[in-house]
Amino acid sequence: MSDAAKIKILIVYERSGMGHEVMANILAKEILQNGHFEIISYTITELLQDPLSELLTKAWVSAWNFFMRHNWIELADILINYLMRLILLPIGEVSSVTAMHQTLDQIAPDILICTADTAGKCLGSWAKEKQIPFFLVITDLSVFIDLVSPNATHICYFSETVNAVQSFPFTLTYWSDELTRSSKLSEQIGFIGRYLYDFVICYPQNRIYRNIDRDYKPQNQARCEIIGPLRETKHFKIRERKKLRDRFDLSSTDVCILIVSGSFGGNFCTKYLKSLQNLFLDSLVVIIACGRDENLRIKTEHIAGKKQNYKVRTLGFVDNLDEWMSAVDIILARPSAGILLEAMLARTPLLLPRKAAANDRGAISFVEKYQLGECFSDRQDLNLKIRRLLDEKELYQNRIDALLKKYPSTFEEQSANLCRILLRSLES
């Protein structure tokens, strides 16, 4: 161990705007603020120390955000979630292993934690070589192959993700062939070729993705820990809806719908704001979380300026969105694991479109399985589901409460639980 008084923990993430950096910050700044730990954070590109890698990362992040902002979900899925993993993933891992391992040697952590995609194989082989604990924090509910490693302990929110993780056959090339800095060129080329054979030529039987919409037959014994919703301190606070409504100038008789699109903003919010024009409810207030998307705020206010059968309010970037989530009756959101966890902790039912990128489909499956909200297919279905949520709101809240009772109920309990898992890993 690097220091008897301090355990050095390296958190690896990427600035991708899809939950990875958010979770890295939650871990570093809140959950792991413990006298036992020294926390260091690096992005994947910082570990590689390669300007080209940083440029490529920025390019694919910009492309993803562009596609999602315009609601081009299928295109984002095909080009980034699937084609990049099917074709570029093995090449990237082969080319990065030496540089990444050399930087890790210099940092010399006692525990390695990764919240990002695509780095698990390189990080896992280094951790195995140095015999230190390695943790993959899965920030979505569904998983791709690069978030599953035989060398890792997988930190999962719920048991459904564990089932997905353990459904991959570790006999396939991606897991059975080790990549290290000493791997010869012939071995690297062989790995790429066998990977492409397994997952491109034989794609019908070897899928790179698992949703949580079914029970899979276990095919590996990957180590996993279930910890429940993992969020910041503020999300665990118990709030009184009436007090929040008074503070936000919302009447107790208002029907309030909060539309959230994460950091993407864009067409999602305006599309569903327009869809609510046919929803005739007394005292309907639609609140749009615009974040830093100034164009979205302008478009929203333009729509609100027209004669509508509802009131519209816009929120810029605020640090109390969690309170707004607790104050409203329904959260209409782009599906994601993050919004699912935050809505659950706010005790507010979710309303999600069924159309979602692969990495977000787990949120839809989870909401439907436990009936924590509703999912809709089109405008007519949207209106029907809103009325159902309003008519049976207390029933949805009771289901949320029943599910949350299985997991840590306070931030302090959650933090202590994860710290115990990390400390225990050093004893084995």
Side-chain angles (χ1 to χ4, degrees):
M1 191 174 296
S2 59
D3 187 327
K6 291 282 187 178
I7 298 165
K8 185 187 288 188
I9 298 179
L10 171 62
I11 300 175
V12 180
Y13 67 102
E14 198 50 86
R15 295 188 181 96
S16 58
M18 293 185 289
H20 308 146
E21 184 176 9
V22 171
M23 182 52 62
N25 287 334
I26 293 172
L27 291 170
K29 297 178 181 179
E30 294 201 37
I31 293 176
L32 299 181
Q33 284 301 309
N34 183 302
H36 293 292
F37 303 136
E38 173 192 354
I39 309 299
I40 303 170
S41 298
Y42 274 70
T43 65
I44 296 172
T45 51
E46 287 169 343
L47 288 179
L48 293 174
Q49 299 180 345
D50 176 17
L52 178 59
S53 172
E54 185 170 0
L55 182 64
L56 290 173
T57 300
K58 288 180 178 178
W60 77 257
V61 169
S62 297
W64 176 270
N65 290 344
F66 178 82
F67 293 147
M68 299 302 285
R69 192 174 293 114
H70 289 81
N71 236 28
W72 298 341
I73 294 171
E74 294 92 343
L75 196 56
D77 239 0
I78 293 169
L79 293 180
I80 298 176
N81 273 336
Y82 284 95
L83 281 183
M84 283 187 65
R85 283 182 168 92
L86 285 171
I87 308 299
L88 299 181
L89 178 64
I91 299 171
E93 289 178 324
V94 162
S95 62
S96 63
V97 63
T98 299
M100 188 175 289
H101 283 200
Q102 288 174 347
T103 307
L104 290 169
D105 285 345
Q106 296 168 10
I107 300 169
D110 302 306
I111 295 176
L112 185 55
I113 298 176
C114 178
T115 69
D117 297 345
T118 73
K121 188 169 182 65
C122 285
L123 296 174
S125 62
W126 184 86
K128 181 180 179 181
E129 176 189 320
K130 301 299 181 181
Q131 295 186 312
I132 70 164
F134 172 44
F135 294 87
L136 277 170
V137 179
I138 299 178
T139 58
D140 297 316
L141 276 72
S142 49
V143 291
F144 283 93
I145 58 169
D146 48 293
L147 278 169
V148 180
S149 168
N151 301 319
T153 297
H154 303 79
I155 303 296
C156 307
Y157 303 134
F158 307 112
S159 59
E160 286 79 5
T161 302
V162 173
N163 177 246
V165 166
Q166 294 180 339
S167 72
F168 288 102
F170 280 176
T171 53
L172 292 174
T173 301
Y174 186 73
W175 298 282
S176 61
D177 284 24
E178 200 77 66
L179 280 180
T180 69
R181 73 190 95 188
S182 59
S183 297
K184 298 177 182 177
L185 179 61
S186 58
E187 293 173 328
Q188 295 175 338
I189 294 172
F191 168 77
I192 294 171
R194 288 188 294 274
Y195 174 98
L196 295 176
Y197 176 80
D198 284 346
F199 293 106
V200 178
I201 304 300
C202 300
Y203 185 73
Q205 61 261 39
N206 297 331
R207 298 301 177 97
I208 63 172
Y209 170 74
R210 299 286 192 274
N211 192 7
I212 60 165
D213 58 346
R214 69 196 72 177
D215 288 327
Y216 298 98
K217 178 182 177 182
Q219 298 199 60
N220 70 65
Q221 295 182 327
R223 297 183 301 276
C224 299
E225 295 280 357
I226 302 168
I227 58 172
L230 191 59
R231 304 313 281 173
E232 304 101 308
T233 313
K234 63 183 181 181
H235 289 288
F236 285 85
K237 293 178 181 176
I238 303 300
R239 309 182 189 93
E240 292 186 36
R241 183 172 268 105
K242 184 180 184 306
K243 289 183 178 180
L244 288 173
R245 288 209 170 196
D246 288 342
R247 178 144 60 91
F248 296 146
D249 194 25
L250 296 170
S251 168
S252 59
T253 59
D254 287 339
V255 173
C256 299
I257 299 175
L258 174 64
I259 302 182
V260 184
S261 183
S263 60
F264 304 116
N267 293 353
F268 178 89
C269 294
T270 52
K271 174 183 178 180
Y272 291 111
L273 178 60
K274 292 174 182 177
S275 295
L276 296 177
Q277 289 175 352
N278 297 324
L279 184 65
F280 291 94
L281 292 170
D282 294 334
S283 303
L284 173 62
V285 179
V286 182
I287 303 158
I288 309 294
C290 300
R292 294 188 173 92
D293 189 342
E294 183 64 16
N295 288 332
L296 172 60
R297 187 190 63 79
I298 294 170
K299 289 179 182 177
T300 300
E301 291 181 354
H302 176 71
I303 295 171
K306 299 178 180 179
K307 187 177 181 180
Q308 308 288 352
N309 59 329
Y310 52 73
K311 298 176 185 176
V312 179
R313 292 179 61 172
T314 59
L315 300 177
F317 180 78
V318 296
D319 58 8
N320 68 334
L321 187 61
D322 54 301
E323 293 182 326
W324 285 93
M325 293 174 80
S326 292
V328 300
D329 298 292
I330 296 171
I331 300 169
L332 197 172
R334 186 189 298 279
S336 74
I339 197 71
L340 168 64
L341 302 184
E342 291 168 12
M344 285 176 63
L345 293 170
R347 272 69 173 180
T348 303
L350 267 176
L351 184 58
L352 304 176
R354 292 189 186 280
K355 185 178 178 182
N359 49 299
D360 294 325
R361 288 179 201 143
I364 296 171
S365 300
F366 196 83
V367 165
E368 292 191 314
K369 178 176 180 178
Y370 292 99
Q371 296 179 284
L372 309 177
E374 292 290 341
C375 302
F376 63 92
S377 304
D378 52 34
R379 182 177 294 185
Q380 183 178 4
D381 195 26
L382 167 66
N383 293 345
L384 290 172
K385 297 297 173 61
I386 287 175
R387 294 183 182 279
R388 182 183 298 172
L389 286 169
L390 295 173
D391 291 342
E392 302 178 12
K393 182 180 175 182
E394 188 174 343
L395 186 59
Y396 290 97
Q397 290 173 328
N398 290 341
R399 293 190 192 114
I400 293 170
D401 286 333
L403 184 60
L404 286 175
K405 284 180 181 178
K406 300 178 182 179
Y407 306 105
S409 59
T410 66
F411 173 82
E412 290 74 21
E413 187 182 352
Q414 171 191 249
S415 180
N417 185 35
L418 186 55
C419 289
R420 277 195 300 270
I421 291 170
L422 299 184
L423 291 170
R424 193 168 61 235
S425 71
L426 293 169
E427 299 169 1
S428 57

